[in-house]
Coordinates of all heavy atoms in Angstrom, one line a residue:
M1 N 169.5 224.8 143.6 CA 170.9 224.3 143.8 C 170.9 222.8 143.5 O 170.0 222.0 143.9 CB 171.2 224.5 145.3 CG 172.6 224.0 145.6 SD 173.0 224.3 147.3 CE 173.1 222.7 148.0
L2 N 171.8 222.4 142.7 CA 171.9 221.0 142.3 C 172.9 220.3 143.3 O 173.9 220.8 143.7 CB 172.5 220.9 140.9 CG 171.6 221.3 139.8 CD1 172.3 221.3 138.5 CD2 170.3 220.5 139.7
L3 N 172.5 219.1 143.7 CA 173.3 218.3 144.6 C 174.1 217.3 143.8 O 173.6 216.8 142.8 CB 172.4 217.6 145.6 CG 171.6 218.5 146.6 CD1 170.7 217.6 147.4 CD2 172.5 219.3 147.4
G4 N 175.3 217.0 144.3 CA 176.0 215.9 143.7 C 175.4 214.6 144.1 O 174.5 214.5 145.0
I5 N 175.7 213.5 143.4 CA 175.1 212.2 143.7 C 175.3 211.7 145.1 O 174.4 211.1 145.7 CB 175.6 211.2 142.6 CG1 174.7 210.0 142.7 CG2 177.0 210.8 142.9 CD1 174.8 209.1 141.5
D6 N 176.5 212.0 145.7 CA 176.7 211.6 147.1 C 175.8 212.3 148.1 O 175.2 211.7 149.0 CB 178.1 211.8 147.5 CG 179.1 210.9 146.8 OD1 178.7 209.8 146.4 OD2 180.3 211.3 146.6
E7 N 175.6 213.6 147.8 CA 174.7 214.4 148.7 C 173.2 214.0 148.5 O 172.5 213.9 149.5 CB 174.8 215.9 148.4 CG 176.1 216.6 148.8 CD 177.2 216.5 147.7 OE1 176.9 216.0 146.6 OE2 178.3 216.8 148.0
E8 N 172.8 213.7 147.3 CA 171.5 213.3 147.0 C 171.2 211.9 147.6 O 170.2 211.7 148.2 CB 171.2 213.3 145.5 CG 169.8 212.9 145.2 CD 168.7 213.8 145.6 OE1 169.0 215.0 146.0 OE2 167.5 213.5 145.5
A9 N 172.2 211.0 147.5 CA 172.0 209.7 148.1 C 171.9 209.8 149.6 O 171.1 209.1 150.2 CB 173.2 208.8 147.7
G10 N 172.7 210.6 150.2 CA 172.7 210.8 151.7 C 171.3 211.4 152.1 O 170.8 211.0 153.1
R11 N 170.8 212.4 151.3 CA 169.5 213.0 151.6 C 168.4 211.9 151.6 O 167.6 211.8 152.4 CB 169.2 214.1 150.7 CG 168.0 214.9 151.0 CD 167.6 215.9 149.9 NE 167.2 215.3 148.7 CZ 166.0 214.8 148.4 NH1 165.1 214.8 149.3 NH2 165.8 214.2 147.2
L12 N 168.4 211.1 150.5 CA 167.4 210.0 150.4 C 167.6 209.0 151.5 O 166.6 208.5 152.0 CB 167.5 209.4 149.0 CG 167.1 210.2 147.9 CD1 167.4 209.6 146.5 CD2 165.6 210.6 148.0
R13 N 168.8 208.6 151.8 CA 169.0 207.6 152.8 C 168.5 208.1 154.2 O 168.0 207.3 155.0 CB 170.5 207.2 152.9 CG 170.9 206.1 153.8 CD 172.3 205.7 153.7 NE 173.3 206.8 153.6 CZ 174.0 207.1 152.6 NH1 173.8 206.4 151.5 NH2 174.8 208.1 152.6
D14 N 168.7 209.4 154.5 CA 168.3 209.9 155.8 C 166.8 210.3 155.9 O 166.3 210.6 156.9 CB 169.2 211.2 156.1 CG 170.6 210.8 156.2 OD1 170.9 209.7 156.5 OD2 171.5 211.7 156.0
A15 N 166.1 210.3 154.7 CA 164.7 210.6 154.7 C 163.9 209.5 155.5 O 164.2 208.4 155.4 CB 164.2 210.7 153.3
T16 N 162.9 210.0 156.2 CA 162.1 209.0 156.9 C 160.7 209.1 156.3 O 160.2 210.2 155.9 CB 162.0 209.3 158.4 OG1 161.6 210.7 158.6 CG2 163.4 209.2 159.1
V17 N 160.0 208.0 156.3 CA 158.6 208.0 155.8 C 157.7 207.7 157.0 O 157.9 206.7 157.7 CB 158.5 206.9 154.8 CG1 157.1 206.8 154.3 CG2 159.4 207.2 153.6
S18 N 156.7 208.5 157.2 CA 155.8 208.3 158.3 C 154.9 207.1 157.9 O 154.3 207.0 156.8 CB 154.9 209.5 158.4 OG 153.8 209.3 159.3
P19 N 154.7 206.1 158.9 CA 153.8 205.0 158.6 C 152.3 205.5 158.4 O 151.6 204.9 157.7 CB 153.9 204.2 159.9 CG 155.1 204.6 160.5 CD 155.4 206.0 160.1
A20 N 152.0 206.7 158.9 CA 150.6 207.2 158.7 C 150.4 207.5 157.2 O 149.2 207.5 156.8 CB 150.4 208.4 159.6
A21 N 151.4 207.8 156.5 CA 151.3 208.1 155.0 C 150.7 206.9 154.3 O 150.2 207.1 153.2 CB 152.6 208.6 154.5
F22 N 150.9 205.7 154.8 CA 150.5 204.5 154.0 C 149.2 203.8 154.6 O 148.8 202.8 154.2 CB 151.6 203.5 154.0 CG 152.8 204.1 153.3 CD1 153.9 204.5 154.1 CD2 152.9 204.3 152.0 CE1 155.0 205.0 153.5 CE2 154.0 204.9 151.3 CZ 155.0 205.2 152.1
S23 N 148.7 204.4 155.7 CA 147.5 203.8 156.3 C 146.2 204.4 155.7 O 146.1 205.6 155.4 CB 147.5 204.0 157.8 OG 147.4 205.4 158.1
P24 N 145.2 203.5 155.4 CA 144.0 204.0 154.8 C 143.2 204.8 155.8 O 143.4 204.7 157.0 CB 143.2 202.7 154.5 CG 143.8 201.7 155.4 CD 145.2 202.1 155.6
P25 N 142.3 205.6 155.3 CA 141.5 206.5 156.2 C 140.5 205.6 157.0 O 140.2 204.5 156.6 CB 140.7 207.4 155.2 CG 140.7 206.7 153.9 CD 142.0 205.9 153.9
S26 N 140.1 206.1 158.1 CA 139.2 205.3 158.9 C 137.9 205.2 158.2 O 137.4 206.1 157.5 CB 139.0 206.0 160.3 OG 138.4 207.3 160.1
P27 N 137.1 204.1 158.5 CA 135.8 203.8 157.8 C 134.8 204.9 158.1 O 133.9 205.2 157.3 CB 135.4 202.5 158.3 CG 136.6 201.8 158.9 CD 137.5 202.9 159.3
S28 N 134.9 205.6 159.2 CA 134.0 206.6 159.6 C 134.2 207.9 158.8 O 133.4 208.8 158.9 CB 134.0 206.8 161.1 OG 135.3 207.3 161.5
S29 N 135.3 208.1 158.1 CA 135.6 209.3 157.5 C 134.7 209.6 156.2 O 134.5 210.7 155.8 CB 137.0 209.4 157.0 OG 137.3 208.5 156.0
G30 N 134.1 208.5 155.7 CA 133.2 208.6 154.5 C 133.9 208.8 153.2 O 133.3 208.8 152.1
D31 N 135.3 208.9 153.2 CA 136.0 209.0 152.0 C 136.3 207.6 151.4 O 136.5 206.7 152.2 CB 137.4 209.7 152.2 CG 137.2 211.2 152.6 OD1 136.1 211.8 152.3 OD2 138.1 211.7 153.3
A32 N 136.4 207.6 150.1 CA 136.8 206.3 149.5 C 138.2 206.1 149.8 O 139.0 207.0 149.8 CB 136.5 206.4 148.0
P33 N 138.6 204.8 150.1 CA 140.0 204.5 150.4 C 140.9 204.8 149.1 O 140.5 204.5 148.0 CB 140.0 203.1 150.7 CG 138.8 202.5 150.2 CD 137.8 203.6 150.1
P34 N 142.0 205.4 149.3 CA 142.9 205.7 148.2 C 143.5 204.4 147.7 O 143.6 203.4 148.4 CB 144.0 206.6 148.8 CG 144.0 206.2 150.2 CD 142.6 205.8 150.6
V35 N 144.0 204.5 146.4 CA 144.7 203.3 145.9 C 146.1 203.4 146.4 O 146.8 204.4 146.2 CB 144.7 203.4 144.3 CG1 145.5 202.3 143.7 CG2 143.2 203.3 143.8
L36 N 146.6 202.4 147.1 CA 147.9 202.4 147.6 C 148.9 201.6 146.8 O 148.5 200.4 146.4 CB 147.9 201.9 149.1 CG 147.1 202.7 150.1 CD1 147.1 202.0 151.4 CD2 147.6 204.1 150.2
D37 N 150.0 202.1 146.5 CA 151.0 201.3 145.8 C 151.7 200.4 146.9 O 151.8 200.7 148.0 CB 152.1 202.2 145.2 CG 151.6 203.0 144.0 OD1 150.7 202.5 143.4 OD2 152.1 204.1 143.8
V38 N 152.0 199.2 146.4 CA 152.7 198.3 147.3 C 154.2 198.6 147.4 O 154.8 198.8 146.3 CB 152.5 196.8 146.9 CG1 153.3 195.9 147.7 CG2 151.1 196.4 146.8
L39 N 154.7 198.9 148.6 CA 156.1 199.2 148.7 C 156.9 198.0 149.1 O 156.6 197.4 150.1 CB 156.3 200.3 149.7 CG 155.6 201.7 149.4 CD1 155.8 202.6 150.5 CD2 156.2 202.2 148.1
L40 N 157.9 197.7 148.3 CA 158.8 196.6 148.6 C 159.9 197.1 149.5 O 160.6 198.1 149.2 CB 159.3 196.0 147.3 CG 160.1 194.7 147.4 CD1 159.2 193.6 147.9 CD2 160.6 194.4 146.0
T41 N 160.2 196.4 150.5 CA 161.3 196.7 151.4 C 162.3 195.6 151.4 O 162.0 194.4 151.2 CB 160.8 197.0 152.9 OG1 160.2 195.8 153.3 CG2 159.8 198.1 153.0
C42 N 163.6 196.0 151.7 CA 164.7 195.0 151.8 C 164.5 194.2 153.0 O 164.3 194.7 154.1 CB 166.0 195.8 151.8 SG 167.4 194.7 152.1
P43 N 164.6 192.8 152.8 CA 164.5 191.9 154.0 C 165.7 192.0 154.9 O 165.6 191.6 156.1 CB 164.3 190.6 153.4 CG 164.9 190.7 152.0 CD 164.7 192.1 151.6
S44 N 166.8 192.6 154.4 CA 168.0 192.7 155.2 C 168.0 193.9 156.1 O 168.3 193.9 157.3 CB 169.2 192.6 154.3 OG 170.4 192.7 155.1
C45 N 167.8 195.1 155.5 CA 167.9 196.4 156.2 C 166.6 197.1 156.3 O 166.5 198.1 157.1 CB 169.0 197.3 155.5 SG 168.5 197.9 153.9
G46 N 165.5 196.7 155.6 CA 164.2 197.4 155.7 C 164.1 198.7 154.8 O 163.1 199.3 154.9
S47 N 165.1 199.0 154.0 CA 165.1 200.1 153.2 C 164.0 200.0 152.1 O 163.7 198.9 151.6 CB 166.4 200.3 152.5 OG 166.4 201.4 151.5
F48 N 163.5 201.2 151.6 CA 162.5 201.2 150.5 C 163.3 201.3 149.2 O 162.6 201.3 148.1 CB 161.6 202.4 150.7 CG 160.6 202.2 151.8 CD1 160.6 203.0 152.9 CD2 159.6 201.3 151.7 CE1 159.7 202.9 153.9 CE2 158.6 201.1 152.7 CZ 158.7 201.9 153.8
H49 N 164.6 201.5 149.2 CA 165.4 201.7 148.0 C 165.7 200.3 147.4 O 166.8 199.8 147.6 CB 166.6 202.5 148.3 CG 166.3 203.8 148.9 ND1 165.9 204.9 148.2 CD2 166.4 204.2 150.2 CE1 165.7 205.9 149.0 NE2 166.0 205.5 150.2
V50 N 164.7 199.8 146.6 CA 164.9 198.5 146.0 C 164.7 198.6 144.5 O 163.8 199.3 144.0 CB 163.8 197.5 146.6 CG1 163.8 196.2 145.9 CG2 164.0 197.3 148.1
A51 N 165.6 197.9 143.8 CA 165.5 197.9 142.3 C 165.2 196.5 141.8 O 165.6 195.5 142.4 CB 166.9 198.4 141.8
Q52 N 164.4 196.5 140.8 CA 164.1 195.2 140.2 C 165.0 194.9 139.0 O 165.4 195.8 138.3 CB 162.6 195.3 139.6 CG 162.1 194.0 139.1 CD 160.6 194.2 138.7 OE1 160.0 195.3 138.9 NE2 160.1 193.2 138.0
M53 N 165.5 193.6 139.0 CA 166.4 193.2 137.9 C 165.9 192.0 137.2 O 165.2 191.2 137.8 CB 167.8 192.9 138.5 CG 168.4 194.1 139.2 SD 170.1 193.8 139.8 CE 170.3 192.0 140.0
L54 N 166.3 191.8 136.0 CA 166.0 190.6 135.2 C 167.1 189.6 135.5 O 168.3 189.9 135.3 CB 165.9 190.9 133.7 CG 165.4 189.8 132.8 CD1 164.0 189.3 133.2 CD2 165.4 190.2 131.4
G55 N 166.7 188.4 136.0 CA 167.7 187.4 136.3 C 168.2 186.7 135.1 O 167.7 186.8 133.9
D56 N 169.2 185.8 135.3 CA 169.9 185.1 134.2 C 168.9 184.1 133.5 O 169.0 184.0 132.3 CB 171.1 184.3 134.7 CG 172.2 185.2 135.1 OD1 172.2 186.4 134.7 OD2 173.0 184.7 136.0
N57 N 168.0 183.5 134.2 CA 167.1 182.6 133.7 C 165.8 183.2 133.2 O 164.8 182.5 133.0 CB 166.8 181.4 134.7 CG 166.2 182.0 135.9 OD1 166.0 183.2 136.1 ND2 165.8 181.1 136.8
G58 N 165.7 184.5 133.2 CA 164.5 185.2 132.8 C 163.6 185.6 133.9 O 162.6 186.2 133.7
G59 N 163.9 185.1 135.1 CA 163.1 185.5 136.3 C 163.4 186.9 136.8 O 164.3 187.5 136.2
I60 N 162.7 187.3 137.8 CA 162.9 188.6 138.3 C 163.5 188.5 139.7 O 163.2 187.7 140.5 CB 161.5 189.3 138.4 CG1 160.9 189.6 137.1 CG2 161.7 190.7 139.2 CD1 159.5 190.1 137.1
S61 N 164.5 189.3 139.9 CA 165.2 189.4 141.2 C 165.2 190.9 141.6 O 165.0 191.8 140.8 CB 166.6 188.8 141.2 OG 167.4 189.4 140.2
F62 N 165.6 191.1 142.9 CA 165.6 192.4 143.4 C 166.9 192.6 144.1 O 167.6 191.7 144.6 CB 164.5 192.6 144.5 CG 163.1 192.3 143.9 CD1 162.5 191.0 144.0 CD2 162.4 193.3 143.2 CE1 161.3 190.7 143.5 CE2 161.1 193.0 142.7 CZ 160.6 191.7 142.8
V63 N 167.3 193.9 144.2 CA 168.6 194.3 144.9 C 168.3 195.6 145.6 O 167.6 196.5 145.2 CB 169.8 194.5 143.9 CG1 169.5 195.6 142.9 CG2 171.0 194.7 144.7
C64 N 168.8 195.6 146.9 CA 168.6 196.8 147.7 C 169.8 197.8 147.3 O 170.9 197.4 147.4 CB 168.7 196.4 149.2 SG 168.6 197.9 150.3
T65 N 169.4 199.0 146.9 CA 170.5 199.9 146.6 C 171.1 200.6 147.8 O 172.1 201.3 147.7 CB 169.9 201.0 145.6 OG1 168.8 201.7 146.3 CG2 169.5 200.4 144.3
A66 N 170.5 200.3 149.0 CA 171.1 200.9 150.2 C 172.2 200.0 150.8 O 173.2 200.4 151.2 CB 170.0 201.1 151.2
C67 N 171.9 198.6 150.8 CA 172.9 197.7 151.5 C 173.5 196.7 150.5 O 174.4 196.0 150.9 CB 172.2 197.0 152.7 SG 171.0 195.7 152.2
G68 N 172.9 196.6 149.3 CA 173.5 195.7 148.3 C 172.9 194.2 148.4 O 173.3 193.4 147.6
H69 N 172.0 194.0 149.3 CA 171.4 192.6 149.5 C 170.6 192.3 148.2 O 169.9 193.2 147.7 CB 170.6 192.6 150.7 CG 169.9 191.3 151.0 ND1 170.6 190.2 151.4 CD2 168.6 190.9 150.8 CE1 169.7 189.1 151.5 NE2 168.5 189.6 151.1
S70 N 170.7 191.1 147.7 CA 169.9 190.7 146.5 C 169.1 189.5 146.9 O 169.5 188.6 147.7 CB 170.7 190.5 145.3 OG 171.7 189.5 145.5
W71 N 167.9 189.4 146.3 CA 167.0 188.2 146.5 C 166.1 188.1 145.3 O 166.0 189.0 144.5 CB 166.2 188.4 147.8 CG 165.2 189.4 147.8 CD1 163.9 189.3 147.6 CD2 165.4 190.8 148.0 NE1 163.2 190.5 147.7 CE2 164.1 191.5 148.0 CE3 166.5 191.6 148.3 CZ2 164.0 192.8 148.1 CZ3 166.3 193.0 148.4 CH2 165.1 193.6 148.4
S72 N 165.4 186.9 145.2 CA 164.4 186.7 144.2 C 163.1 186.2 144.7 O 163.0 185.8 145.9 CB 164.9 185.8 143.1 OG 165.3 184.6 143.7

């Protein structure tokens, strides 16, 4: 079933991420630590839905697609 963009955005907005998914294994487990991607969060609302944009002066800025807050 295909969802419309509003339904998909609502589904993504309501999704929760477990903090345990980003924690490395304990040193006693014997497994090599996984390579973790750095997740950028919005300083305003804490959302993981952040887009990178090219600024006017060639610098990089970011915008939160959840609340619209932008920063560089």
Side-chain angles (χ1 to χ4, degrees):
M1 180 176 116
L2 293 175
L3 298 176
I5 193 162
D6 291 334
E7 291 88 6
E8 182 67 11
R11 185 186 69 79
L12 291 172
R13 185 175 42 250
D14 296 338
T16 58
V17 178
S18 167
F22 301 105
S23 62
S26 64
S28 63
S29 70
D31 294 335
V35 176
L36 299 176
D37 291 329
V38 175
L39 295 176
L40 187 62
T41 59
C42 174
S44 180
C45 71
S47 172
F48 290 111
H49 301 284
V50 174
Q52 185 176 353
M53 299 184 338
L54 186 61
D56 294 338
N57 61 355
I60 296 174
S61 60
F62 303 94
V63 63
C64 176
T65 57
C67 72
H69 179 76
S70 60
W71 70 98
S72 56

